[in-house]
Amino acid sequence: MENTSNYLFDIIEGDLSEGKVEKIHTRFPPEPNGCLHIGSAKAICINYSAAKKFGGKFNLRYDDTNHSKEDDSYVKSIYEDLLWLGAVPDGVFYGSDYFEKCYEYAVLLIKKGL
């Protein structure tokens, strides 16, 4: 993937130089319930390229919150598609890893009336 300049990279560069952000950390969050499509490839390329151009990290974070429609074969094919695109993730995570923390935050927000 080529790291050419574009308006997104210009914004990131500006935010970094102005100190609005210290580092870039992007992710691709697919739901593993089917094969990726051209829009997925676009998102992967943008997020991966931005992270690498600016010395940041790129994660794959499966949105595995709808278990009735998900399948391990899609988890594997999504990862293989990322590698085929040249987007090797720095980390692989699952939304379900954060269920307990999300639940705690939900209870806190309810208690605050929010």
Side-chain angles (χ1 to χ4, degrees):
M1 279 176 252
E2 192 173 321
N3 284 331
T4 59
S5 183
N6 61 52
Y7 78 97
L8 292 174
F9 289 175
D10 292 345
I11 292 169
I12 294 169
E13 192 169 285
D15 286 351
L16 286 166
S17 67
E18 294 170 20
K20 290 182 181 178
V21 295
E22 293 180 20
K23 58 185 174 180
I24 301 301
H25 196 156
T26 64
R27 54 101 173 104
F28 176 65
E31 185 175 347
N33 64 358
C35 296
L36 297 182
H37 51 74
I38 192 69
S40 301
K42 176 182 170 186
I44 292 164
C45 290
I46 289 170
N47 289 321
Y48 179 79
S49 295
K52 295 310 160 192
K53 179 177 177 82
F54 296 102
K57 292 184 178 181
F58 169 75
N59 289 338
L60 170 61
R61 201 256 311 135
Y62 292 104
D63 185 6
D64 62 335
T65 56
N66 188 0
H67 295 292
S68 66
K69 294 187 176 184
E70 297 161 3
D71 189 276
D72 191 52
S73 65
Y74 294 126
V75 169
K76 292 175 184 172
S77 72
I78 289 168
Y79 187 78
E80 290 169 3
D81 288 348
L82 259 72
L83 298 182
W84 181 79
L85 287 167
V88 179
D90 294 301
V92 178
F93 303 93
Y94 296 82
S96 61
D97 293 342
Y98 310 102
F99 275 169
E100 278 300 313
K101 187 50 89 177
C102 289
Y103 182 83
E104 290 173 22
Y105 285 135
V107 169
L108 179 65
L109 289 170
I110 291 167
K111 286 181 179 179
K112 289 183 173 187
L114 300 171

